[in-house]
Amino acid sequence: MTKLLTYTACLLLLLQSACTGLKHVPKGELLYTGGKITVITGEKIKGKGTVKSDAKSVIQPEPNKTYLGMRPALWLYYVVKKPKRKKGLRVWLREKVAEEPVYLSKVDVPLVVKGIDAMLYNTGYLDSYSDYEIKPSKNGKTVSINFRIFLKKPFTIDEVAFPVDSSALSQVIAETADKTLLKKGDKYSLETLRKERARIDDYMKERGYYYFNPDFILFGMDTVNETRIVKLYTTVKKTTPAKARIIYRIGEINVHPGFKK
């Protein structure tokens, strides 16, 4: 307890004198202060708040934490030298309290943009996209990034077609059509497609297709930009192995009455 109080007292003293840590930023580096999301649209679109929060979750890494405009954990990282011993106050401060600086050079901005674009596509905004603008601060030490989303209305499901060929496997899949999770008028969603594949797979397992799995189900789609609709086609992958197309039934059941645990 005494040691903890000592550490806490030292930490409080350090925090009282802590500054933003900016004077320690190396030459040639810029401290990353975070990403902002701006949604741009030429028409009224529902769900912009959700799009914004979903995009925000894609942005990595997180910037260093700030408290009342200061970055005490970052400052500690700069002023507390790397300890030579494995225990002690310096080790505790460096490993438990201090934060390693997050520089712009550590942010893969094009990759973040690709992640935002993928999120837009997977949630139904098939022809929406994003770009970015790097905004250095006046102090020449920090930088933020404004990610701009050019949002258009999402695509909705118009119809869903199930397999119509004569194979036994396709016919069983077609039997599940009335239980589909893909409803007309719903927004296109990759997550819903995944759930639909899992639903069909469960149905197939119940019918004895023991080696069937969700990866054998494919969804093709046609889009109509003018009406913002998607037509989905459920198919079975051509490379689905033969054993996945066979119904497995229970054979002999052997009972051993003399068995003891």
Side-chain angles (χ1 to χ4, degrees):
M1 180 62 73
T2 302
K3 184 179 292 187
L4 178 60
L5 290 173
T6 302
Y7 285 178
T8 304
C10 292
L11 177 60
L12 290 173
L13 289 173
L14 286 169
L15 290 178
Q16 286 179 357
S17 60
C19 65
T20 61
L22 295 183
K23 70 178 183 179
H24 299 284
V25 175
K27 186 177 180 180
E29 293 283 9
L30 290 171
L31 190 69
Y32 171 63
T33 59
K36 176 185 176 184
I37 301 293
T38 302
V39 178
I40 301 170
T41 178
E43 55 189 322
K44 188 175 181 179
I45 299 177
K46 293 181 180 180
K48 288 195 296 184
T50 301
V51 170
K52 197 170 184 178
S53 61
D54 287 347
K56 191 74 175 178
S57 68
V58 175
I59 301 174
Q60 294 292 334
E62 293 286 336
N64 293 108
K65 296 181 181 67
T66 59
Y67 303 94
L68 301 176
M70 299 185 298
R71 301 178 183 86
L74 173 64
W75 180 80
L76 281 173
Y77 181 88
Y78 285 128
V79 299
V80 178
K81 302 300 181 183
K82 189 174 182 180
K84 295 180 180 179
R85 294 184 298 176
K86 294 182 178 181
K87 296 182 179 180
L89 176 60
R90 185 176 293 179
V91 174
W92 179 73
L93 289 173
R94 182 86 176 191
E95 296 183 359
K96 301 297 183 181
V97 184
E99 282 186 357
E100 188 175 348
V102 180
Y103 299 124
L104 178 64
S105 59
K106 294 183 178 181
V107 184
D108 192 336
V109 185
L111 184 63
V112 173
V113 170
K114 287 182 180 179
I116 294 174
D117 287 348
M119 179 277 297
L120 291 169
Y121 190 92
N122 294 340
T123 53
Y125 301 94
L126 304 184
D127 55 355
S128 298
Y129 65 96
S130 64
D131 68 6
Y132 67 93
E133 179 183 12
I134 294 177
K135 305 188 75 172
S137 64
K138 293 181 180 179
N139 61 29
K141 293 287 188 177
T142 64
V143 63
S144 62
I145 304 173
N146 183 22
F147 294 94
R148 300 176 296 190
I149 296 177
F150 297 88
L151 193 67
K152 298 182 181 181
K153 283 187 175 181
F155 282 70
T156 57
I157 298 171
D158 180 57
E159 63 179 82
V160 182
F162 280 77
V164 294
D165 62 88
S166 59
S167 69
L169 189 65
S170 292
Q171 288 181 18
V172 175
I173 292 175
E175 290 175 4
T176 73
D178 61 334
K179 303 293 184 181
T180 182
L181 302 176
L182 306 171
K183 306 297 184 181
K184 182 173 182 176
D186 285 356
K187 188 174 67 169
Y188 171 88
S189 167
L190 179 62
E191 181 61 26
T192 305
L193 293 184
R194 287 172 176 161
K195 291 179 179 178
E196 175 71 355
R197 293 171 75 188
R199 183 193 68 81
I200 294 174
D201 179 60
D202 288 343
Y203 185 86
M204 301 300 288
K205 293 290 198 306
E206 291 173 359
R207 296 304 181 276
Y209 290 89
Y210 183 77
Y211 288 104
F212 195 83
N213 74 60
D215 291 337
F216 300 148
I217 301 169
L218 300 177
F219 292 103
M221 70 178 187
D222 290 333
T223 59
V224 182
N225 286 347
E226 293 77 11
T227 53
R228 319 295 292 175
I229 62 172
V230 176
K231 297 181 179 181
L232 295 172
Y233 304 91
T234 309
T235 60
V236 179
K237 189 182 293 186
K238 292 182 179 180
T239 56
T240 299
K243 67 179 183 179
R245 298 174 180 271
I246 299 172
I247 295 177
Y248 289 79
R249 295 180 171 85
I250 297 174
E252 292 183 356
I253 300 176
N254 298 314
V255 180
H256 301 278
F259 175 75
K260 293 182 181 180
K261 291 184 179 180

